[in-house]
Amino acid sequence: MHSNLTMAEQAADVNDGGLPGEKVTATETTETGKRKSEEQEQPESTTRGKRRRGAGGKKLRPGERYIPPPQKRNSGVSFSEEHFKETSYYFEGGLRKVHPYYFEFKTYCKGRWIGKTLLEVFKSEFRAESIDYYQKAAKEGRIRLNDQPMEDLSVVLRNNDHMKNTVHRHEPPVVGKPLEVLVDDGEVLVVDKPASIPVHPCGRFRHNTVIFILGKERGISELHTVHRLDRLTSGVLLFARTLETSKKLDQLVRDRQLEKEYVCRVEGEFPKEEVICEQPILVVSFKIGLCRVDPKGKECRTVFQRLNFNGKTSVVRCLPLTGRTHQIRVHLQYLGFPILNDPIYGSSAWGPHRGKGGLFEKSDQELLQALVEEHRSQESLHLLDIPDDACEQAPEQHETSTKTDKSDGASETKTSSECQQPHINSAPPAGSSSSRMTANEATGSCADMSTHMSDKSPAETNGSPTEAADPSGTAPPGSRDHLCSECGLVRPDPTKKELTMYLHALRYKGPDFEYTTRLPDWATEEWVDTD
């Protein structure tokens, strides 16, 4: 089961954007969440004889650099109006889009970086950008170490060094369908999540997420997660409004008293009789959320029942009795009936059998490479939510991993594409027009938003999807950046089909409640794929 923490408290080690492996905590999401002594303990000059404030009066040795000690963070901070005002939405071509904006990533020095120069770290861990870019960014004050601009990238990193990088962020568009609130009774909030919208800030997404949309358009905050849905999955999404309710629902899941029902459309003619799949599922890589059937995996059980068949594809009712990552998708792949339009488990990268019967014919690393290359060739890498350099990373060791797989039957694991990002300052540093995305941020980003931009916010359009309403097409300040290569690209908008996977959370039921959505159009018997 997922944690009862608020959205802003759910963090994990990420490899995304400005600084790889960034550890995010709740207090890094707002200005009020600074480390307690951050303002009082500012570094002084490294001149001999100067004393460090708050450091017991110790003198610095010649050439020694003062490094503030890590401070205990305050807790209990959530996203606020300040974060929601970082940028605004506009609607165009049936899509919800976000004006590009400035954003700051931060991280403490990793153990493997100690003794290396900033330049060496950028060369080895930020390959999505050229060294020329980082040198220019440093000269403009976009890269900081312990709150000091670092124009010289030859500085050697030490333990507890705190690094910050302001980036120019472009978010991919999502479907423009509004979030429908099904229940809001003070204890739970239930929404019908459209496909393509992540639940919370993750990877390249921040404002185009469920909790940001709820916060910006409805003023709803302080939500506790009960379960997640994949970005491309639609349907019942349940939040607890209070910690007490969250603990209650958490226990229901642990006791397996929460019934989940999904519907999906799969390739081919699914058997008429009930099918039960009990194949164990192994997480191949926590970073990218890739799973497969494997004897070494965790026990797993899903019940499938065919609802209808239109001559080419079948609608199937799915009852996940356990809660493994991508459980429904992986089991259907194993059975030979992958979900229609599944960008991962329906891919030909798995080989001629496409994973049916557990036949892969590739090592984990080869499989990851093939998935990346297939979608890169189709210019659809953004559909995978895979880091840009994932093909160069070795899969995690299954035996030594300490991460817990408590995700819902069709939900995401805690991957780099799920973890929310810290907010420090949405404005560029002094003397700078600010920065640029790195690594994962640059991969699969949204189309160039410098054209057809609207200054209207969701509040000005009553939060409902409309076409871009600004006839002048002027962009708000900060929408373009002279160092941002993404600003110079023009990408075609994704199609509705690309943003939809035919998997829908239809019903969640407990001992004294039941939340249900309408059956999606693609699940009706008369539906025909027109593409």
Side-chain angles (χ1 to χ4, degrees):
M1 175 61 201
H2 294 297
S3 96
N4 338 333
L5 299 177
T6 63
M7 284 294 190
E9 291 170 317
Q10 298 192 41
D13 199 9
V14 304
N15 181 14
D16 175 56
L19 294 165
E22 181 174 343
K23 188 73 172 181
V24 183
T25 63
T27 56
E28 290 176 282
T29 60
T30 73
E31 288 294 335
T32 58
K34 291 179 180 177
R35 292 170 174 254
K36 291 183 178 178
S37 304
E38 192 169 274
E39 293 183 345
Q40 290 81 6
E41 294 190 335
Q42 294 298 326
E44 292 191 13
S45 166
T46 57
T47 304
R48 183 178 178 83
K50 290 288 185 181
R51 294 177 180 272
R52 294 185 280 186
R53 264 185 271 176
K58 279 188 175 181
K59 292 184 178 181
L60 295 170
R61 297 175 181 176
E64 183 180 1
R65 200 163 44 79
Y66 172 57
I67 302 173
Q71 300 297 315
K72 185 177 181 180
R73 292 180 172 89
N74 298 319
S75 60
V77 180
S78 183
F79 295 112
S80 68
E81 189 65 26
E82 177 185 2
H83 307 116
F84 302 142
K85 289 182 177 178
E86 290 169 344
T87 186
S88 59
Y89 301 119
Y90 67 104
F91 297 87
E92 183 178 53
L95 300 176
R96 178 190 292 268
K97 298 182 178 182
V98 175
H99 294 296
Y101 58 100
Y102 295 113
F103 183 83
E104 191 170 54
F105 288 95
K106 65 182 180 180
T107 184
Y108 275 92
C109 179
K110 309 303 172 190
R112 63 182 179 273
W113 300 350
I114 296 175
K116 294 183 178 180
T117 65
L118 271 173
L119 185 64
E120 289 174 326
V121 170
F122 284 129
K123 281 183 178 178
S124 62
E125 308 225 15
F126 298 95
R127 292 181 294 272
E129 292 288 358
S130 67
I131 292 301
D132 180 61
Y133 162 77
Y134 292 114
Q135 289 172 334
K136 290 179 179 178
K139 289 186 182 301
E140 295 194 7
R142 307 180 182 196
I143 297 170
R144 278 143 293 176
L145 199 60
N146 305 319
D147 287 324
Q148 299 301 304
M150 288 289 113
E151 293 189 18
D152 184 3
L153 297 182
S154 65
V155 63
V156 177
L157 295 174
R158 300 286 182 252
N159 191 29
N160 288 331
D161 268 334
H162 196 221
M163 303 168 64
K164 296 181 181 179
N165 183 20
T166 304
V167 300
H168 195 233
R169 194 161 186 169
H170 291 240
E171 293 195 25
V174 298
V175 296
K177 182 180 178 182
L179 288 175
E180 180 183 357
V181 175
L182 304 176
V183 176
D184 187 7
D185 59 9
E187 292 188 356
V188 297
L189 174 74
V190 186
V191 301
D192 186 356
K193 184 186 92 67
S196 81
I197 305 179
V199 175
H200 58 81
C202 55
R204 300 178 304 278
F205 297 89
R206 181 172 171 82
H207 290 263
N208 262 348
T209 61
V210 172
I211 65 164
F212 259 62
I213 294 171
L214 288 173
K216 291 176 73 164
E217 296 185 355
R218 294 177 178 266
I220 298 173
S221 60
E222 299 296 334
L223 297 173
H224 303 252
T225 57
V226 176
H227 69 108
R228 293 188 187 92
L229 296 176
D230 287 323
R231 181 168 62 88
L232 298 181
T233 302
S234 58
V236 174
L237 183 59
L238 179 61
F239 298 103
R241 279 289 211 166
T242 66
L243 183 58
E244 182 181 356
T245 302
S246 178
K247 290 179 178 179
K248 175 184 175 182
L249 293 171
D250 210 20
Q251 192 59 50
L252 289 179
V253 174
R254 290 194 185 98
D255 296 339
R256 296 192 177 178
Q257 294 185 46
L258 184 62
E259 299 178 18
K260 300 162 287 186
E261 178 181 350
Y262 290 75
V263 291
C264 64
R265 183 171 286 277
V266 303
E267 298 179 17
E269 184 176 3
F270 198 84
K272 291 183 179 180
E273 64 275 9
E274 181 180 273
V275 175
I276 300 176
C277 186
E278 296 180 303
Q279 293 296 321
I281 290 178
L282 180 72
V283 179
V284 173
S285 174
F286 287 99
K287 285 187 176 180
I288 66 167
L290 182 65
C291 305
R292 60 177 169 82
V293 164
D294 190 282
K296 300 189 294 293
K298 294 184 178 181
E299 59 91 16
C300 203
R301 191 167 192 259
T302 315
V303 177
F304 298 103
Q305 299 170 335
R306 192 179 89 181
L307 298 180
N308 60 66
F309 173 60
N310 68 1
K312 292 184 178 180
T313 59
S314 306
V315 174
V316 179
R317 178 174 180 252
C318 315
L319 304 175
L321 304 182
T322 48
R324 305 304 177 201
T325 300
H326 292 176
Q327 176 175 325
I328 293 173
R329 298 166 66 181
V330 173
H331 273 177
L332 285 168
Q333 179 199 46
Y334 177 85
L335 295 172
F337 300 95
I339 293 175
L340 196 63
N341 217 31
D342 189 326
I344 296 180
Y345 301 102
S347 170
S348 60
W350 295 82
H353 301 285
R354 290 201 296 167
K356 181 178 180 180
L359 300 175
F360 306 117
E361 302 176 4
K362 286 185 176 76
S363 67
D364 292 343
Q365 186 65 15
E366 290 171 339
L367 174 59
L368 175 56
Q369 177 76 34
L371 279 168
V372 171
E373 291 306 320
E374 176 182 293
H375 284 272
R376 180 174 288 148
S377 67
Q378 298 171 3
E379 296 186 354
S380 60
L381 196 61
H382 60 284
L383 298 179
L384 297 182
D385 286 334
I386 289 180
D388 187 49
D389 60 349
C391 56
E392 301 173 15
Q393 302 169 355
E396 290 87 342
Q397 294 298 314
H398 314 303
E399 311 78 44
T400 59
S401 174
T402 59
K403 296 192 178 183
T404 305
D405 183 6
K406 295 182 180 179
S407 53
D408 203 65
S411 68
E412 298 172 320
T413 186
K414 273 195 173 182
T415 68
S416 64
S417 61
E418 280 193 334
C419 308
Q420 56 198 32
Q421 306 304 324
H423 168 273
I424 302 166
N425 184 2
S426 60
S432 165
S433 59
S434 204
S435 183
R436 153 97 185 107
M437 296 180 298
T438 61
N440 310 341
E441 291 287 319
T443 304
S445 295
C446 57
D448 179 19
M449 297 190 187
S450 62
T451 57
H452 314 300
M453 288 234 178
S454 167
D455 285 324
K456 285 205 173 184
S457 66
E460 293 170 316
T461 58
N462 297 319
S464 59
T466 60
E467 294 302 303
D470 183 3
S472 66
T474 57
S479 293
R480 290 191 65 83
D481 178 71
H482 70 281
L483 283 189
C484 178
S485 60
E486 190 71 19
C487 282
L489 299 178
V490 178
R491 300 182 186 275
D493 284 337
T495 64
K496 182 179 179 181
K497 184 173 182 178
E498 286 179 322
L499 295 177
T500 303
M501 181 172 62
Y502 297 107
L503 177 62
H504 180 83
L506 184 67
R507 180 176 64 95
Y508 269 65
K509 181 179 180 182
D512 56 355
F513 64 84
E514 180 173 351
Y515 306 118
T516 306
T517 65
R518 295 182 296 273
L519 203 65
D521 293 342
W522 53 257
T524 59
E525 191 166 1
E526 61 274 10
W527 181 85
V528 177
D529 189 352
T530 56
D531 293 334

